[in-house]
Amino acid sequence: MTMIFQANQASGLPTPTWIVPGLQAEFLGNTSSLRNAGPNVFYVHVTSSGFSIWTSLTSLLQSKKPALNPDFLRHHLRFGETATHSTAWRDIYQLIPGAILSLGAGVCSWRFEPWAREERDSETAGHPGTLLENVLSASPGAVVLELSGGVDSTAIAYSLSGRSDVEAITWADPDAPDASDVGHARRIAGKLGFEHRVAPVSPEALFVIPEQFEPDRPSVSLFMMAERDRFVRDVIGNRADVVVVNGHGGDHIFLDPPSPIPMLDLLACGRFREALHYYRALVEFHGAGVLAPLRYRHVGRGIGRASLSLGPGKRLHRRLIRQACYENAIWSRLGTPYKVIHPFTCPSMLNYALSIKPHEYVGKGTSRLPFRMAMNDYHGTEDHSRVSKGHLTGVFQKAIGLKQGILAAVLEQGVGAKFSMYRVDEMQRALKAAAFGSTDIHPRLMNALSLELFIQHWSRLSGMPRWQLDT
């Protein structure tokens, strides 16, 4: 049963009441509050007469066939992935684990603070090495570790050391099997005694969304999901007790990627030289002029309550943490048969990350420095070091080259073009540049492609030639 509750059935029910395990509703006059205390993602279809709650997005969209949400789609094209209760469809909202959705007369609001779900009850619980071990010790059965070779996956690898049931996988560009991070991952796996596979990513398999997947928003993460799922299935075979572990979210909770906001913290502390040095590094990172980093001032707009603060870096930090937890809650439930664990977005690790002040470390080159130092000291090693990544860029360039004609047609005939969400000529130039091996793939191009492929996926599954868009 996919439609599990309707608001007009609520008369006579006590308030608050548990609708299904993990989902609590409270009715106060014309206002309803839904709290997700369980592990599942729910979808709420809101109408003038009330609301319905669904557990399957596929069944909801096949039966309701709602209009697209233009505000959400334009926001995605402009900023990429940001955490929100809105979805790509009008009047359909998502309720992820740990979130509260409040519905009133024409108003919908969302609260999501995953770090508040757990209290730190001892000083030892605050050490990141202990926290990671505690999360992973509760994982029964064999473990498949997605070992990228970066700091986060290396930390998880060390926290799994001593286990004999760990198999590590490292994704690689078939033309660069010895990239620095792949080599680092291979060395770490050998040192810890893990069986290790280097999995070359096939360019032909990118930009494909498997039919069993239920993504609820456009995302560039979709481009590699089919390959990732194939590799994991090859490893686990028919075993049902296997868990997949990765370090996704670590870059967010330690305030990466580079943002101009910590620079304001440096200025507020009177550290003007470091602020200037940090901003120069941002300009070099973004590579599009001295004003390019300022576009990140809008990261997370609409997430949390808008208010003045003397700690803008910490405010952005919380927004990035929400984003990491949001992504993990969604992408772990695409329809894969195995369980995925993200240790960096467990509440205890989030509380550790929130205890770090970004402005105290950006002047030293990275806000992840205290974590790296703590892990190296804990394990008596220097393996938690900065390793350059990005070796899969070449795979995406090759995939774009192989499918340039198809992708060009998708952009020209898609929803974004029809409703002027992007300039087709601009996207075609960016596509051509990427196909001919440009070292920089335009982020807006990737966002546009994710939008169009996402809509194509759901049109195919719902039996519609084209989704309608109310303008």
Side-chain angles (χ1 to χ4, degrees):
M1 186 175 183
T2 55
M3 187 170 64
I4 59 176
F5 179 78
Q6 286 187 310
N8 56 18
Q9 298 173 351
S11 58
L13 290 177
T15 181
T17 184
W18 292 98
I19 300 176
V20 294
L23 182 59
Q24 187 182 55
E26 186 171 358
F27 306 101
L28 300 172
N30 293 326
T31 302
S32 302
S33 179
L34 304 173
R35 180 170 65 89
N36 188 351
N40 299 313
V41 177
F42 298 98
Y43 298 94
V44 184
H45 178 228
V46 181
T47 64
S48 58
S49 59
F51 58 86
S52 302
I53 303 173
W54 296 68
T55 56
S56 168
L57 185 58
T58 299
S59 298
L60 187 158
L61 296 179
Q62 285 177 342
S63 62
K64 300 296 183 182
K65 292 183 172 55
L68 292 174
N69 182 346
D71 292 336
F72 177 94
L73 299 178
R74 289 191 174 95
H75 181 87
H76 164 74
L77 283 170
R78 192 175 176 195
F79 301 113
E81 303 176 17
T82 54
T84 173
H85 61 282
S86 298
T87 68
W89 297 274
R90 187 182 296 279
D91 300 325
I92 293 179
Y93 303 95
Q94 61 193 184
L95 187 57
I96 62 175
I100 298 174
L101 190 65
S102 297
L103 303 169
V107 178
C108 179
S109 62
W110 188 59
R111 296 200 305 277
F112 180 47
E113 294 188 347
W115 53 84
R117 288 166 25 214
E118 180 177 303
E119 296 294 333
R120 289 162 58 186
D121 55 5
S122 68
E123 292 184 4
T124 57
H127 193 285
T130 304
L131 299 177
L132 287 175
E133 288 176 353
N134 289 342
V135 174
L136 297 169
S137 64
S139 304
V143 174
V144 174
L145 169 62
E146 295 180 307
L147 182 60
S148 70
V151 173
D152 301 326
S153 61
T154 298
I156 293 174
Y158 265 91
S159 298
L160 290 166
S161 61
R163 295 183 59 152
S164 60
D165 56 354
V166 178
E167 183 162 351
I169 305 177
T170 302
W171 321 129
D173 183 340
D175 293 334
D178 297 317
S180 59
D181 45 352
V182 177
H184 185 70
R186 185 183 291 114
R187 185 177 70 84
I188 295 299
K191 182 177 180 179
L192 299 176
F194 298 158
E195 185 176 347
H196 181 244
R197 299 189 189 189
V198 175
V201 177
S202 169
E204 292 84 357
L206 298 182
F207 304 107
V208 175
I209 307 177
E211 285 197 5
Q212 77 270 19
F213 282 9
E214 284 198 353
D216 65 1
R217 61 184 174 140
S219 170
V220 295
S221 302
L222 286 171
F223 295 159
M224 193 176 161
M225 281 295 176
E227 279 289 79
R228 175 183 177 275
D229 182 56
R230 180 175 68 84
F231 288 139
V232 171
R233 286 171 185 261
D234 287 346
V235 172
I236 67 176
N238 296 322
R239 291 177 293 174
D241 60 343
V242 179
V243 296
V244 178
V245 180
N246 62 43
H248 188 252
D251 53 347
H252 286 63
I253 77 166
F254 294 114
L255 200 59
D256 289 335
S259 156
I261 305 299
M263 181 191 67
L264 302 180
D265 285 348
L266 290 168
L267 290 173
C269 295
R271 296 163 63 179
F272 303 106
R273 185 185 298 272
E274 289 182 21
L276 179 60
H277 179 77
Y278 183 69
Y279 193 78
R280 284 177 176 171
L282 286 178
V283 172
E284 181 179 356
F285 175 85
H286 294 295
V290 294
L291 298 181
L294 295 182
R295 70 188 180 92
Y296 281 84
R297 70 189 184 278
H298 293 302
V299 168
R301 173 181 286 178
I303 306 170
R305 187 173 63 185
S307 61
L308 293 175
S309 169
L310 296 178
K314 183 56 66 178
R315 191 168 70 248
L316 177 67
H317 194 188
R318 288 176 179 247
R319 291 172 178 172
L320 290 175
I321 286 177
R322 286 191 187 97
Q323 181 62 35
C325 296
Y326 174 89
E327 289 177 7
N328 288 346
I330 295 299
W331 298 117
S332 298
R333 295 165 176 81
L334 284 178
T336 52
Y338 43 83
K339 181 180 180 182
V340 183
I341 297 177
H342 308 282
F344 279 94
T345 50
C346 73
S348 55
M349 279 299 295
L350 300 183
N351 278 308
Y352 166 75
L354 285 166
S355 70
I356 299 172
K357 299 179 180 178
H359 69 262
E360 292 187 1
Y361 298 98
V362 292
K364 298 179 182 180
T366 174
S367 54
R368 202 180 304 210
L369 180 62
F371 172 71
R372 287 169 42 208
M373 294 175 62
M375 293 301 293
N376 279 330
D377 180 66
Y378 187 78
H379 292 288
T381 182
E382 293 297 324
D383 287 335
H384 299 86
S385 59
R386 301 184 71 180
V387 178
S388 61
K389 293 201 293 184
H391 64 283
L392 292 178
T393 300
V395 179
F396 280 100
Q397 290 171 336
K398 185 173 291 186
I400 290 174
L402 290 171
K403 302 182 179 183
Q404 183 183 359
I406 297 173
L407 297 177
V410 166
L411 290 169
E412 186 174 351
Q413 302 167 16
V415 168
K418 182 177 181 180
F419 295 96
S420 303
M421 292 183 178
Y422 54 75
R423 289 180 52 186
V424 174
D425 58 342
E426 179 184 353
M427 293 298 100
Q428 299 288 20
R429 284 195 299 270
L431 184 71
K432 186 176 182 179
F436 280 86
S438 170
T439 56
D440 180 30
I441 301 178
H442 200 295
R444 194 171 174 85
L445 168 65
M446 300 300 276
N447 290 344
L449 288 174
S450 71
L451 165 63
E452 302 301 350
L453 294 174
F454 173 84
I455 297 300
Q456 278 196 354
H457 175 74
W458 283 111
S459 296
R460 182 171 63 252
L461 293 187
S462 299
M464 297 178 63
R466 185 183 297 272
W467 282 86
Q468 299 301 309
L469 178 64
D470 291 346
T471 55

PDB file of all heavy atoms in Angstrom, residues 367-383:
ATOM      1  N   SER A 367      40.123  23.804   6.602  1.00  0.00           N
ATOM      2  CA  SER A 367      39.352  23.695   7.831  1.00  0.00           C
ATOM      3  C   SER A 367      39.288  22.248   8.312  1.00  0.00           C
ATOM      4  O   SER A 367      38.738  21.972   9.370  1.00  0.00           O
ATOM      5  CB  SER A 367      37.934  24.231   7.608  1.00  0.00           C
ATOM      6  OG  SER A 367      37.333  23.572   6.511  1.00  0.00           O
ATOM      7  N   ARG A 368      39.846  21.307   7.531  1.00  0.00           N
ATOM      8  CA  ARG A 368      39.865  19.901   7.926  1.00  0.00           C
ATOM      9  C   ARG A 368      41.125  19.546   8.726  1.00  0.00           C
ATOM     10  O   ARG A 368      41.294  18.408   9.164  1.00  0.00           O
ATOM     11  CB  ARG A 368      39.783  19.023   6.683  1.00  0.00           C
ATOM     12  CG  ARG A 368      39.278  17.623   6.954  1.00  0.00           C
ATOM     13  CD  ARG A 368      39.212  16.807   5.685  1.00  0.00           C
ATOM     14  NE  ARG A 368      38.387  17.463   4.689  1.00  0.00           N
ATOM     15  CZ  ARG A 368      37.703  16.805   3.772  1.00  0.00           C
ATOM     16  NH1 ARG A 368      37.725  15.499   3.763  1.00  0.00           N
ATOM     17  NH2 ARG A 368      36.994  17.455   2.868  1.00  0.00           N
ATOM     18  N   LEU A 369      42.006  20.524   8.925  1.00  0.00           N
ATOM     19  CA  LEU A 369      43.281  20.264   9.586  1.00  0.00           C
ATOM     20  C   LEU A 369      43.137  19.605  10.954  1.00  0.00           C
ATOM     21  O   LEU A 369      43.832  18.622  11.232  1.00  0.00           O
ATOM     22  CB  LEU A 369      44.088  21.554   9.692  1.00  0.00           C
ATOM     23  CG  LEU A 369      45.459  21.432  10.358  1.00  0.00           C
ATOM     24  CD1 LEU A 369      46.355  20.489   9.553  1.00  0.00           C
ATOM     25  CD2 LEU A 369      46.111  22.807  10.479  1.00  0.00           C
ATOM     26  N   PRO A 370      42.261  20.078  11.857  1.00  0.00           N
ATOM     27  CA  PRO A 370      42.182  19.425  13.172  1.00  0.00           C
ATOM     28  C   PRO A 370      41.732  17.978  13.093  1.00  0.00           C
ATOM     29  O   PRO A 370      42.165  17.145  13.887  1.00  0.00           O
ATOM     30  CB  PRO A 370      41.181  20.290  13.945  1.00  0.00           C
ATOM     31  CG  PRO A 370      40.414  21.027  12.905  1.00  0.00           C
ATOM     32  CD  PRO A 370      41.368  21.250  11.779  1.00  0.00           C
ATOM     33  N   PHE A 371      40.866  17.657  12.142  1.00  0.00           N
ATOM     34  CA  PHE A 371      40.432  16.273  11.978  1.00  0.00           C
ATOM     35  C   PHE A 371      41.598  15.407  11.521  1.00  0.00           C
ATOM     36  O   PHE A 371      41.831  14.314  12.056  1.00  0.00           O
ATOM     37  CB  PHE A 371      39.276  16.205  10.983  1.00  0.00           C
ATOM     38  CG  PHE A 371      38.888  14.805  10.596  1.00  0.00           C
ATOM     39  CD1 PHE A 371      38.248  13.981  11.501  1.00  0.00           C
ATOM     40  CD2 PHE A 371      39.183  14.318   9.330  1.00  0.00           C
ATOM     41  CE1 PHE A 371      37.900  12.675  11.150  1.00  0.00           C
ATOM     42  CE2 PHE A 371      38.830  13.025   8.977  1.00  0.00           C
ATOM     43  CZ  PHE A 371      38.197  12.207   9.889  1.00  0.00           C
ATOM     44  N   ARG A 372      42.334  15.867  10.522  1.00  0.00           N
ATOM     45  CA  ARG A 372      43.483  15.107  10.044  1.00  0.00           C
ATOM     46  C   ARG A 372      44.509  14.879  11.141  1.00  0.00           C
ATOM     47  O   ARG A 372      45.024  13.761  11.315  1.00  0.00           O
ATOM     48  CB  ARG A 372      44.142  15.837   8.875  1.00  0.00           C
ATOM     49  CG  ARG A 372      43.348  15.783   7.575  1.00  0.00           C
ATOM     50  CD  ARG A 372      43.903  16.735   6.528  1.00  0.00           C
ATOM     51  NE  ARG A 372      45.349  16.710   6.485  1.00  0.00           N
ATOM     52  CZ  ARG A 372      46.112  17.739   6.100  1.00  0.00           C
ATOM     53  NH1 ARG A 372      45.544  18.873   5.735  1.00  0.00           N
ATOM     54  NH2 ARG A 372      47.411  17.634   6.068  1.00  0.00           N
ATOM     55  N   MET A 373      44.797  15.927  11.902  1.00  0.00           N
ATOM     56  CA  MET A 373      45.779  15.802  12.978  1.00  0.00           C
ATOM     57  C   MET A 373      45.304  14.821  14.042  1.00  0.00           C
ATOM     58  O   MET A 373      46.075  13.999  14.544  1.00  0.00           O
ATOM     59  CB  MET A 373      46.044  17.176  13.595  1.00  0.00           C
ATOM     60  CG  MET A 373      46.724  18.154  12.649  1.00  0.00           C
ATOM     61  SD  MET A 373      46.893  19.813  13.352  1.00  0.00           S
ATOM     62  CE  MET A 373      47.943  19.470  14.769  1.00  0.00           C
ATOM     63  N   ALA A 374      44.005  14.906  14.392  1.00  0.00           N
ATOM     64  CA  ALA A 374      43.462  14.012  15.418  1.00  0.00           C
ATOM     65  C   ALA A 374      43.524  12.557  14.956  1.00  0.00           C
ATOM     66  O   ALA A 374      43.870  11.659  15.739  1.00  0.00           O
ATOM     67  CB  ALA A 374      42.021  14.409  15.742  1.00  0.00           C
ATOM     68  N   MET A 375      43.212  12.298  13.682  1.00  0.00           N
ATOM     69  CA  MET A 375      43.218  10.920  13.186  1.00  0.00           C
ATOM     70  C   MET A 375      44.634  10.377  13.052  1.00  0.00           C
ATOM     71  O   MET A 375      44.897   9.204  13.363  1.00  0.00           O
ATOM     72  CB  MET A 375      42.492  10.855  11.840  1.00  0.00           C
ATOM     73  CG  MET A 375      41.000  11.129  11.923  1.00  0.00           C
ATOM     74  SD  MET A 375      40.100   9.994  13.004  1.00  0.00           S
ATOM     75  CE  MET A 375      40.272   8.451  12.110  1.00  0.00           C
ATOM     76  N   ASN A 376      45.570  11.203  12.592  1.00  0.00           N
ATOM     77  CA  ASN A 376      46.961  10.753  12.507  1.00  0.00           C
ATOM     78  C   ASN A 376      47.515  10.420  13.885  1.00  0.00           C
ATOM     79  O   ASN A 376      48.221   9.422  14.068  1.00  0.00           O
ATOM     80  CB  ASN A 376      47.823  11.827  11.838  1.00  0.00           C
ATOM     81  CG  ASN A 376      47.722  11.798  10.324  1.00  0.00           C
ATOM     82  OD1 ASN A 376      47.495  10.746   9.733  1.00  0.00           O
ATOM     83  ND2 ASN A 376      47.893  12.944   9.687  1.00  0.00           N
ATOM     84  N   ASP A 377      47.202  11.247  14.870  1.00  0.00           N
ATOM     85  CA  ASP A 377      47.671  10.998  16.236  1.00  0.00           C
ATOM     86  C   ASP A 377      47.021   9.743  16.813  1.00  0.00           C
ATOM     87  O   ASP A 377      47.680   8.932  17.474  1.00  0.00           O
ATOM     88  CB  ASP A 377      47.353  12.215  17.114  1.00  0.00           C
ATOM     89  CG  ASP A 377      47.817  12.018  18.545  1.00  0.00           C
ATOM     90  OD1 ASP A 377      49.039  11.943  18.754  1.00  0.00           O
ATOM     91  OD2 ASP A 377      46.955  11.939  19.442  1.00  0.00           O
ATOM     92  N   TYR A 378      45.738   9.557  16.543  1.00  0.00           N
ATOM     93  CA  TYR A 378      44.981   8.426  17.094  1.00  0.00           C
ATOM     94  C   TYR A 378      45.513   7.100  16.570  1.00  0.00           C
ATOM     95  O   TYR A 378      45.627   6.118  17.321  1.00  0.00           O
ATOM     96  CB  TYR A 378      43.508   8.589  16.718  1.00  0.00           C
ATOM     97  CG  TYR A 378      42.562   7.589  17.337  1.00  0.00           C
ATOM     98  CD1 TYR A 378      42.153   7.709  18.658  1.00  0.00           C
ATOM     99  CD2 TYR A 378      42.063   6.534  16.580  1.00  0.00           C
ATOM    100  CE1 TYR A 378      41.265   6.799  19.223  1.00  0.00           C
ATOM    101  CE2 TYR A 378      41.177   5.620  17.125  1.00  0.00           C
ATOM    102  CZ  TYR A 378      40.782   5.756  18.446  1.00  0.00           C
ATOM    103  OH  TYR A 378      39.911   4.849  18.997  1.00  0.00           O
ATOM    104  N   HIS A 379      45.879   7.065  15.266  1.00  0.00           N
ATOM    105  CA  HIS A 379      46.326   5.817  14.652  1.00  0.00           C
ATOM    106  C   HIS A 379      47.846   5.747  14.501  1.00  0.00           C
ATOM    107  O   HIS A 379      48.361   4.738  13.983  1.00  0.00           O
ATOM    108  CB  HIS A 379      45.683   5.648  13.277  1.00  0.00           C
ATOM    109  CG  HIS A 379      44.203   5.413  13.336  1.00  0.00           C
ATOM    110  ND1 HIS A 379      43.645   4.234  13.780  1.00  0.00           N
ATOM    111  CD2 HIS A 379      43.156   6.218  13.009  1.00  0.00           C
ATOM    112  CE1 HIS A 379      42.323   4.308  13.719  1.00  0.00           C
ATOM    113  NE2 HIS A 379      42.005   5.496  13.265  1.00  0.00           N
ATOM    114  N   GLY A 380      48.576   6.800  14.934  1.00  0.00           N
ATOM    115  CA  GLY A 380      50.020   6.795  14.838  1.00  0.00           C
ATOM    116  C   GLY A 380      50.535   6.688  13.420  1.00  0.00           C
ATOM    117  O   GLY A 380      51.388   5.857  13.088  1.00  0.00           O
ATOM    118  N   THR A 381      50.008   7.531  12.539  1.00  0.00           N
ATOM    119  CA  THR A 381      50.358   7.468  11.123  1.00  0.00           C
ATOM    120  C   THR A 381      50.351   8.868  10.529  1.00  0.00           C
ATOM    121  O   THR A 381      49.958   9.842  11.190  1.00  0.00           O
ATOM    122  CB  THR A 381      49.346   6.578  10.368  1.00  0.00           C
ATOM    123  OG1 THR A 381      49.726   6.493   8.995  1.00  0.00           O
ATOM    124  CG2 THR A 381      47.941   7.156  10.441  1.00  0.00           C
ATOM    125  N   GLU A 382      50.788   8.970   9.286  1.00  0.00           N
ATOM    126  CA  GLU A 382      50.688  10.212   8.520  1.00  0.00           C
ATOM    127  C   GLU A 382      49.846  10.001   7.264  1.00  0.00           C
ATOM    128  O   GLU A 382      49.927  10.777   6.316  1.00  0.00           O
ATOM    129  CB  GLU A 382      52.088  10.716   8.139  1.00  0.00           C
ATOM    130  CG  GLU A 382      52.937  11.171   9.313  1.00  0.00           C
ATOM    131  CD  GLU A 382      52.339  12.367  10.041  1.00  0.00           C
ATOM    132  OE1 GLU A 382      51.739  13.242   9.368  1.00  0.00           O
ATOM    133  OE2 GLU A 382      52.465  12.430  11.274  1.00  0.00           O
ATOM    134  N   ASP A 383      49.064   8.931   7.251  1.00  0.00           N
ATOM    135  CA  ASP A 383      48.303   8.585   6.052  1.00  0.00           C
ATOM    136  C   ASP A 383      47.099   9.485   5.818  1.00  0.00           C
ATOM    137  O   ASP A 383      46.551   9.510   4.711  1.00  0.00           O
ATOM    138  CB  ASP A 383      47.821   7.134   6.136  1.00  0.00           C
ATOM    139  CG  ASP A 383      48.958   6.146   5.930  1.00  0.00           C
ATOM    140  OD1 ASP A 383      49.948   6.518   5.278  1.00  0.00           O
ATOM    141  OD2 ASP A 383      48.853   5.005   6.442  1.00  0.00           O
TER     142      ASP A 383
END
